[in-house]
Coordinates of all heavy atoms in Angstrom, one line a residue:
M110 N 85.7 73.9 56.2 CA 86.3 74.0 54.8 C 87.7 73.5 54.8 O 88.1 72.8 53.8 CB 86.2 75.4 54.3 CG 86.6 75.5 52.9 SD 86.4 77.2 52.1 CE 84.6 77.4 52.3
I111 N 88.4 73.7 55.9 CA 89.8 73.2 56.0 C 89.8 71.7 56.0 O 90.7 71.0 55.4 CB 90.5 73.8 57.3 CG1 90.5 75.3 57.2 CG2 91.9 73.2 57.4 CD1 91.3 75.9 56.1
E112 N 88.8 71.1 56.6 CA 88.6 69.6 56.6 C 88.5 69.1 55.2 O 89.1 68.1 54.9 CB 87.4 69.3 57.5 CG 87.3 67.8 57.6 CD 86.0 67.4 58.5 OE1 85.6 68.3 59.2 OE2 85.6 66.3 58.4
W113 N 87.7 69.7 54.4 CA 87.5 69.2 53.0 C 88.8 69.4 52.2 O 89.1 68.5 51.4 CB 86.4 70.0 52.3 CG 85.1 69.6 52.7 CD1 84.2 70.1 53.6 CD2 84.4 68.4 52.3 NE1 83.1 69.4 53.7 CE2 83.2 68.3 52.9 CE3 84.8 67.4 51.4 CZ2 82.3 67.3 52.7 CZ3 83.9 66.3 51.2 CH2 82.6 66.3 51.8
I114 N 89.6 70.4 52.5 CA 90.8 70.6 51.8 C 91.8 69.5 52.2 O 92.4 68.9 51.3 CB 91.5 72.0 52.1 CG1 90.6 73.1 51.6 CG2 92.9 72.1 51.6 CD1 91.0 74.5 52.1
L115 N 91.9 69.2 53.4 CA 92.8 68.1 53.9 C 92.3 66.7 53.3 O 93.2 65.9 53.0 CB 92.8 68.1 55.4 CG 93.5 69.3 56.0 CD1 93.4 69.2 57.6 CD2 94.9 69.4 55.6
I116 N 91.0 66.5 53.3 CA 90.5 65.2 52.7 C 90.9 65.1 51.3 O 91.3 64.1 50.8 CB 89.0 65.1 52.9 CG1 88.7 64.9 54.4 CG2 88.4 64.0 52.1 CD1 87.2 65.0 54.7
L117 N 90.7 66.2 50.5 CA 91.0 66.1 49.1 C 92.5 66.0 48.9 O 92.9 65.3 47.9 CB 90.5 67.4 48.4 CG 89.0 67.4 48.2 CD1 88.6 68.8 47.6 CD2 88.5 66.4 47.2
L118 N 93.3 66.6 49.7 CA 94.8 66.4 49.6 C 95.2 65.0 49.9 O 96.1 64.4 49.2 CB 95.5 67.4 50.5 CG 95.5 68.8 50.1 CD1 96.2 69.7 51.1 CD2 96.2 69.0 48.7
A119 N 94.5 64.3 50.9 CA 94.8 63.0 51.2 C 94.4 62.0 50.0 O 95.2 61.1 49.7 CB 94.1 62.5 52.5
I120 N 93.3 62.3 49.4 CA 92.8 61.5 48.3 C 93.8 61.7 47.1 O 94.1 60.7 46.4 CB 91.4 61.9 47.9 CG1 90.4 61.5 48.9 CG2 91.0 61.4 46.5 CD1 89.0 62.0 48.7
A121 N 94.2 62.9 46.9 CA 95.2 63.2 45.8 C 96.5 62.4 46.0 O 97.1 61.9 45.1 CB 95.4 64.7 45.7
A122 N 97.0 62.4 47.3 CA 98.2 61.7 47.6 C 98.1 60.2 47.4 O 99.0 59.6 46.8 CB 98.6 62.0 49.0
V123 N 97.0 59.6 47.9 CA 96.8 58.2 47.8 C 96.6 57.8 46.3 O 97.2 56.8 45.8 CB 95.6 57.7 48.6 CG1 95.3 56.3 48.3 CG2 95.9 57.9 50.1
A124 N 95.8 58.6 45.6 CA 95.6 58.3 44.2 C 96.9 58.5 43.4 O 97.2 57.7 42.4 CB 94.5 59.2 43.6
G125 N 97.7 59.4 43.7 CA 99.0 59.6 43.0 C 99.9 58.4 43.3 O 100.7 58.0 42.4
L126 N 100.0 57.9 44.5 CA 100.8 56.8 44.8 C 100.3 55.5 44.1 O 101.2 54.7 43.8 CB 100.8 56.5 46.3 CG 101.6 57.5 47.2 CD1 101.4 57.3 48.6 CD2 103.1 57.5 46.8
L127 N 99.0 55.4 43.9 CA 98.5 54.2 43.2 C 98.5 54.4 41.7 O 98.1 53.5 41.0 CB 97.1 54.0 43.7 CG 97.0 53.6 45.2 CD1 95.5 53.4 45.6 CD2 97.7 52.3 45.5
G128 N 99.0 55.5 41.2 CA 99.1 55.7 39.8 C 97.8 56.1 39.1 O 97.7 56.0 37.8
M129 N 96.9 56.7 39.8 CA 95.7 57.2 39.2 C 95.8 58.7 39.0 O 95.4 59.5 39.9 CB 94.5 56.9 40.1 CG 94.2 55.4 40.2 SD 92.8 55.1 41.2 CE 93.6 54.3 42.6
G130 N 96.4 59.1 37.9 CA 96.7 60.5 37.7 C 95.5 61.4 37.6 O 95.6 62.5 38.1
R131 N 94.5 61.0 36.9 CA 93.3 61.9 36.7 C 92.6 62.1 38.0 O 92.2 63.2 38.2 CB 92.4 61.2 35.7 CG 92.9 61.3 34.3 CD 91.9 60.9 33.3 NE 92.4 61.0 31.9 CZ 91.7 61.2 30.9 NH1 90.4 61.2 31.0 NH2 92.2 61.3 29.7
I132 N 92.4 61.1 38.8 CA 91.7 61.3 40.1 C 92.6 62.1 41.0 O 92.1 63.0 41.7 CB 91.5 59.9 40.7 CG1 90.5 59.1 39.9 CG2 90.9 60.1 42.1 CD1 90.3 57.7 40.3
S133 N 93.9 61.9 41.0 CA 94.8 62.7 41.8 C 94.7 64.2 41.3 O 94.7 65.1 42.2 CB 96.2 62.2 41.6 OG 97.1 63.0 42.3
G134 N 94.7 64.4 40.0 CA 94.7 65.8 39.5 C 93.3 66.5 39.9 O 93.3 67.7 40.2
A135 N 92.3 65.7 39.8 CA 90.9 66.3 40.1 C 90.8 66.7 41.5 O 90.3 67.7 41.9 CB 89.8 65.3 39.7
A136 N 91.3 65.8 42.4 CA 91.3 66.1 43.8 C 92.2 67.2 44.2 O 91.8 68.1 45.0 CB 91.7 64.8 44.6
L137 N 93.3 67.3 43.6 CA 94.2 68.4 43.8 C 93.7 69.7 43.4 O 93.8 70.8 44.0 CB 95.6 68.2 43.2 CG 96.7 69.0 43.6 CD1 97.0 68.9 45.1 CD2 98.0 68.6 42.8
T138 N 93.0 69.7 42.2 CA 92.4 70.9 41.7 C 91.2 71.4 42.6 O 91.1 72.6 42.9 CB 91.8 70.7 40.3 OG1 92.9 70.3 39.4 CG2 91.1 72.0 39.8
G139 N 90.4 70.5 43.1 CA 89.4 70.8 44.1 C 89.9 71.4 45.4 O 89.4 72.4 45.9
A140 N 91.0 70.8 45.9 CA 91.7 71.3 47.1 C 92.2 72.7 46.9 O 92.1 73.6 47.7 CB 92.8 70.4 47.5
K141 N 92.8 72.9 45.7 CA 93.3 74.2 45.4 C 92.2 75.3 45.3 O 92.4 76.4 45.9 CB 94.0 74.2 44.0 CG 94.9 75.4 43.7 CD 95.4 75.4 42.3 CE 96.1 74.1 41.9 NZ 96.6 74.1 40.6
W142 N 91.1 75.0 44.7 CA 90.0 76.0 44.6 C 89.4 76.3 46.0 O 89.1 77.4 46.3 CB 88.9 75.5 43.7 CG 89.3 75.8 42.3 CD1 89.7 74.9 41.3 CD2 89.2 77.1 41.6 NE1 89.9 75.6 40.1 CE2 89.6 76.9 40.3 CE3 88.9 78.3 42.1 CZ2 89.7 77.9 39.4 CZ3 88.9 79.4 41.1 CH2 89.3 79.2 39.8
L143 N 89.3 75.2 46.8 CA 88.8 75.4 48.2 C 89.7 76.3 49.0 O 89.3 77.1 49.8 CB 88.5 74.1 48.9 CG 87.2 73.4 48.4 CD1 87.1 72.0 49.1 CD2 86.0 74.2 48.7
A144 N 91.0 76.1 48.8 CA 92.0 76.9 49.6 C 91.9 78.3 49.1 O 92.0 79.2 50.0 CB 93.4 76.3 49.3
I145 N 91.8 78.6 47.9 CA 91.6 79.9 47.4 C 90.4 80.6 48.0 O 90.4 81.7 48.4 CB 91.6 80.0 45.8 CG1 93.0 79.6 45.3 CG2 91.2 81.3 45.3 CD1 93.1 79.4 43.8
I146 N 89.3 79.9 47.9 CA 88.0 80.4 48.5 C 88.2 80.7 50.0 O 87.7 81.8 50.5 CB 86.8 79.5 48.2 CG1 86.5 79.4 46.7 CG2 85.6 79.8 49.0 CD1 85.6 78.3 46.3
A147 N 88.8 79.8 50.7 CA 89.0 80.0 52.2 C 89.9 81.2 52.4 O 89.6 82.0 53.3 CB 89.6 78.7 52.8
L148 N 90.9 81.4 51.6 CA 91.8 82.5 51.8 C 91.1 83.8 51.5 O 91.3 84.8 52.2 CB 93.0 82.4 50.9 CG 94.1 83.5 50.9 CD1 94.7 83.6 52.3 CD2 95.1 83.3 49.8
V149 N 90.3 83.9 50.5 CA 89.5 85.1 50.1 C 88.6 85.4 51.2 O 88.5 86.6 51.7 CB 88.8 84.9 48.8 CG1 87.8 86.0 48.6 CG2 89.8 84.9 47.6
L150 N 87.8 84.4 51.7 CA 86.9 84.7 52.8 C 87.6 85.1 54.1 O 87.1 86.1 54.8 CB 86.1 83.4 53.1 CG 85.0 83.0 52.1 CD1 84.4 81.7 52.5 CD2 84.0 84.1 52.0
F151 N 88.8 84.6 54.4 CA 89.6 85.0 55.5 C 90.0 86.4 55.4 O 89.9 87.2 56.3 CB 90.8 84.1 55.7 CG 91.7 84.6 56.7 CD1 91.4 84.5 58.1 CD2 92.9 85.2 56.4 CE1 92.3 85.0 59.1 CE2 93.8 85.6 57.3 CZ 93.5 85.5 58.7
L152 N 90.4 86.8 54.2 CA 90.9 88.2 54.0 C 89.7 89.2 54.1 O 89.9 90.3 54.6 CB 91.6 88.3 52.7 CG 93.0 87.7 52.6 CD1 93.5 87.8 51.2 CD2 93.9 88.3 53.6
L153 N 88.5 88.8 53.6 CA 87.4 89.6 53.7 C 87.0 89.9 55.2 O 86.6 91.0 55.6 CB 86.2 89.1 52.9 CG 86.3 89.1 51.4 CD1 85.2 88.4 50.7 CD2 86.4 90.5 50.9
V154 N 87.0 88.8 55.9 CA 86.7 88.9 57.4 C 87.8 89.8 58.1 O 87.5 90.6 58.9 CB 86.6 87.5 58.0 CG1 86.5 87.6 59.5 CG2 85.3 86.8 57.5
L155 N 89.0 89.5 57.7 CA 90.1 90.2 58.3 C 90.0 91.7 58.1 O 90.3 92.5 59.0 CB 91.5 89.7 57.8 CG 92.7 90.3 58.4 CD1 92.8 89.8 59.9 CD2 93.9 89.8 57.6
F156 N 89.7 92.2 56.9 CA 89.6 93.6 56.6 C 88.2 94.2 57.0 O 88.0 95.4 56.7 CB 89.9 93.8 55.1 CG 91.3 93.6 54.8 CD1 91.6 92.7 53.7 CD2 92.4 94.1 55.5 CE1 93.0 92.5 53.4 CE2 93.7 93.9 55.2 CZ 94.0 93.0 54.1
G157 N 87.3 93.4 57.5 CA 86.1 93.9 58.0 C 85.0 94.1 56.9 O 84.0 94.8 57.2
I158 N 85.2 93.6 55.8 CA 84.2 93.7 54.7 C 83.0 92.8 55.0 O 81.9 93.2 54.8 CB 84.8 93.4 53.3 CG1 85.9 94.4 53.0 CG2 83.8 93.4 52.3 CD1 86.7 94.1 51.8
I159 N 83.3 91.7 55.5 CA 82.2 90.8 56.0 C 82.3 90.7 57.5 O 83.3 90.4 58.1 CB 82.4 89.3 55.4 CG1 82.3 89.3 53.9 CG2 81.4 88.4 56.0 CD1 82.6 88.0 53.3
G160 N 81.2 91.1 58.1 CA 81.1 91.0 59.6 C 80.6 89.7 60.1 O 79.8 89.1 59.4
L161 N 81.1 89.2 61.2 CA 80.7 88.0 61.8 C 79.6 88.3 62.8 O 79.7 89.2 63.6 CB 81.8 87.2 62.5 CG 82.9 86.8 61.5 CD1 84.0 86.1 62.3 CD2 82.4 85.7 60.5
A162 N 78.5 87.5 62.7 CA 77.4 87.7 63.7 C 77.8 87.2 65.0 O 78.4 86.1 65.2 CB 76.2 87.0 63.2
T163 N 77.6 88.0 66.1 CA 78.0 87.6 67.4 C 76.8 87.4 68.3 O 75.7 87.9 68.0 CB 78.9 88.7 68.1 OG1 78.2 89.9 68.1 CG2 80.2 88.8 67.4

């Protein structure tokens, strides 16, 4: 999931430099949502609400 966030951030940066504001905004919004989801999942695992199969 971190890989997708980095890819979307790179797309947003390149699109922003090329003047494509809508594409940059969409990629940045997607990266933001994925970061929020990753943070929530991390916190759930950290507090033991979701157990990892071993």
Side-chain angles (χ1 to χ4, degrees):
M110 188 174 296
I111 301 296
E112 181 180 344
W113 281 103
I114 294 170
L115 294 175
I116 290 170
L117 286 173
L118 286 175
I120 290 171
V123 171
L126 287 174
L127 295 176
M129 296 181 246
R131 286 189 179 203
I132 295 173
S133 176
L137 193 58
T138 302
K141 189 186 315 181
W142 278 104
L143 283 178
I145 290 170
I146 292 169
L148 179 63
V149 168
L150 287 175
F151 172 73
L152 290 174
L153 289 175
V154 169
L155 184 66
F156 293 129
I158 296 172
I159 296 176
L161 295 176
T163 56

